[in-house]
Amino acid sequence: MAGATVDVVIVGNGVLGLSIAYEAALRDPSLRIVVIGPNARPTAATTAAGAMLNCFAEVTSATDEHPASRAKFAIARDALDAWPAWLERLDDDGDGSASATWLPGTLLLLVARSTSHTTKNFEAVHAALKQYSEPHQELDPQDLDEVRAAPHEPPIRAIYLEREGVVDARAVVASLETAVRRRGLVIRDDTVAGLVEANGRVTGVRLSTGETVAAGAVVLAAGTGTQRCIEHLPAGTVQPLFLGTGFAAETRRQRGAGFGHVVRTALRAGSCGIHVVPLGDRREYIGATSVVHLDPPEGPGLGIAQAMLQFAVDKFDRRLGFSQMLRYHYGHRPVPLDTYPLIGRTPVSGLLFATGTYRDGFHCSPVIARHMATLLTASDTEPGPFDHFLPGRVPIETLDVGAAVARYAEEEASTTIDFGAHTPYFTGVDAGERVYRQAARDALDRLGTPIGLRPEILGAVIDADDHQMAKLSESLRALRERSPERV
């Protein structure tokens, strides 16, 4: 059954899909654009996000290791500058029913029991702040009245980032929906089941109802849901997406005034930085986990949820233990095989991607929208950082195989220490790392393709069952056949 014909179909009604539609409509009001996605947004990353506008606080010791990492950081810096004007424009274009307010300020803590991995990342944040003259203050941890950490977790260093903060993700989405509709664009409550192709070109989408929507261009911005469409493309066209599952708790304060700004750690091994985000009315968002899977789990794991909440109580404020649990948030972040975004035109004519943003999609959405709108409305684009992240690329390898195995073992050993592991003096500090190195080597042998995977991806591969491993091996073989010199 044939349906409507439009200029652009955007698959995905999260912050990226709506932002791209809005920015493209601003550039060319004559464009007929339809945004397609289920209103409920099950497991969407946008609606589960704490929505920290953190750029420098996300820096790690690896940020400067590779051109792609530096390009990703450049995009994040651009987004940090763009958010105030972006929110003001959304507010001006709204109807007054929804407004998203930016709350500036992020307190970055290094606590006494931090591992060497977290400490190196904290130092990298500090160095980047100074290198780029980003406004910040180094504080005496003893003067932080709002921090009431456990006796064994006292803060030993603290940096206040003046421009980085938080905005309500759900309010931003509501503002975007209002702005998009006020500009005459269509938002359809539906699910895309597949792509429509003709003569090697994508010409539209097929909906779950069987209806088709013809379009001059299709933008896949459906987060982890994009993988369904990747599987319908010729093998090796685009690398596969993993699911970075994230859990967070929304609570209400019972003791203490709570935090007036974001408080967080630097990035930790195998996870996001632990953070508490103020939501107003004594509510706080405590997050967040980051566990990568090949297939979606049924829900958050009890152990990881318990550990995250305990970390927040111990590292930030023991009074959090008295807070009431209001609800939990659980979402799936889109994580490409190489962990870098998939942004721009694909090798298939008529098809563009805006996904694979891992933890940075919300923060970078104004800049990604600007770039994608340029691709949709202009014939030429200037070279820039997005050139590293074309969807048709082969996986970016920032580590060789040996270094990838070593990095995975180091981070896993660091994570076990974070969880309270102790080893006797006669065991040696590298005993655990030997076990993790062997597990990584065994997994890569099963995979059958030598490739330097990031630690969180390698962990998911180690846990893969035979069916998952076979699918991943087939995908890598297809990528190798398409470009053997790089895979």
Side-chain angles (χ1 to χ4, degrees), residues 307-433:
M308 183 201 72
L309 294 172
Q310 189 66 56
F311 287 151
V313 170
D314 287 350
K315 296 177 188 296
F316 301 144
D317 191 346
R318 286 169 291 172
R319 294 169 297 184
L320 286 169
F322 295 97
S323 294
Q324 292 177 333
M325 178 80 76
L326 299 179
R327 62 185 61 86
Y328 75 81
H329 299 280
Y330 184 63
H332 297 162
R333 305 179 183 97
V335 189
L337 180 68
D338 62 10
T339 74
Y340 287 98
L342 305 172
I343 306 288
R345 298 187 180 97
T346 73
V348 181
S349 182
L351 181 65
L352 301 88
F353 272 47
T355 188
T357 49
Y358 204 170
R359 292 192 311 272
D360 300 328
F362 187 92
H363 172 79
C364 294
S365 56
V367 176
I368 293 173
R370 189 172 67 203
H371 176 71
M372 295 299 296
T374 299
L375 295 180
L376 291 170
T377 61
S379 57
D380 296 317
T381 58
E382 295 292 329
F386 284 104
D387 293 347
H388 289 272
F389 307 125
L390 293 175
R393 69 177 186 269
V394 293
I396 297 167
E397 292 187 65
T398 61
L399 302 166
D400 61 30
V401 172
V405 168
R407 181 74 60 87
Y408 169 78
E410 176 191 353
E411 291 204 12
E412 286 297 295
S414 186
T415 299
T416 62
I417 296 171
D418 259 341
F419 275 75
H422 297 275
T423 56
Y425 70 92
F426 53 80
T427 301
V429 294
D430 65 342
E433 289 193 28

Side-chain angles (χ1 to χ4, degrees), residues 173-184:
V173 169
S175 295
L176 281 166
E177 286 182 332
T178 298
V180 163
R181 287 195 169 100
R182 283 170 65 86
R183 291 193 167 271

Side-chain angles (χ1 to χ4, degrees), residues 99-364:
S99 180
T101 303
W102 173 53
L103 178 65
T106 293
L107 179 63
L108 186 73
L109 295 179
L110 182 69
V111 301
R113 289 186 53 184
S114 297
T115 64
S116 61
H117 183 86
T118 305
T119 301
K120 286 189 290 187
N121 289 343
F122 185 94
E123 295 287 1
V125 172
H126 193 203
L129 290 168
K130 291 188 291 186
Q131 178 182 351
Y132 292 96
S133 301
E134 176 67 18
H136 69 282
Q137 303 172 42
E138 297 178 57
L139 305 177
D140 185 341
Q142 303 304 313
D143 295 337
L144 302 175
D145 293 336
E146 71 268 40
V147 176
R148 301 283 185 87
H152 61 284
E153 295 271 25
I156 58 173
R157 294 185 64 187
I159 301 174
Y160 184 74
L161 288 73
E162 298 177 13
R163 292 202 304 151
E164 303 200 3
V166 65
V167 65
D168 188 333
R170 288 143 290 278
V172 169
V173 169
S175 295
L176 281 166
E177 286 182 332
T178 298
V180 163
R181 287 195 169 100
R182 283 170 65 86
R183 291 193 167 271
L185 308 187
V186 176
I187 302 176
R188 290 196 56 165
D189 177 16
D190 212 326
T191 301
V192 170
L195 303 173
V196 178
E197 299 180 62
N199 302 317
R201 176 183 176 84
V202 168
T203 58
V205 297
R206 186 178 68 258
L207 305 181
S208 58
T209 58
E211 179 186 353
T212 62
V213 180
V218 173
V219 178
L220 297 182
T224 56
T226 306
Q227 178 61 22
R228 292 192 301 270
C229 293
I230 290 176
E231 291 174 351
H232 290 288
L233 295 173
T237 302
V238 177
Q239 61 183 287
L241 283 175
F242 290 61
L243 295 94
T245 59
F247 167 83
E250 186 176 331
T251 63
R252 190 183 302 278
R253 275 277 181 166
Q254 300 302 305
R255 296 194 182 184
F259 295 105
H261 45 70
V262 174
V263 58
R264 60 167 294 169
T265 68
L267 291 187
R268 301 154 60 243
S271 181
C272 302
I274 298 297
H275 52 267
V276 178
V277 176
L279 300 178
D281 191 27
R282 296 187 294 115
R283 294 178 301 121
E284 292 172 307
Y285 175 105
I286 303 175
T289 60
S290 181
V291 183
V292 177
H293 298 273
L294 282 158
D295 291 321
E298 294 183 3
L302 183 62
I304 195 74
Q306 183 271 336
M308 183 201 72
L309 294 172
Q310 189 66 56
F311 287 151
V313 170
D314 287 350
K315 296 177 188 296
F316 301 144
D317 191 346
R318 286 169 291 172
R319 294 169 297 184
L320 286 169
F322 295 97
S323 294
Q324 292 177 333
M325 178 80 76
L326 299 179
R327 62 185 61 86
Y328 75 81
H329 299 280
Y330 184 63
H332 297 162
R333 305 179 183 97
V335 189
L337 180 68
D338 62 10
T339 74
Y340 287 98
L342 305 172
I343 306 288
R345 298 187 180 97
T346 73
V348 181
S349 182
L351 181 65
L352 301 88
F353 272 47
T355 188
T357 49
Y358 204 170
R359 292 192 311 272
D360 300 328
F362 187 92
H363 172 79
C364 294

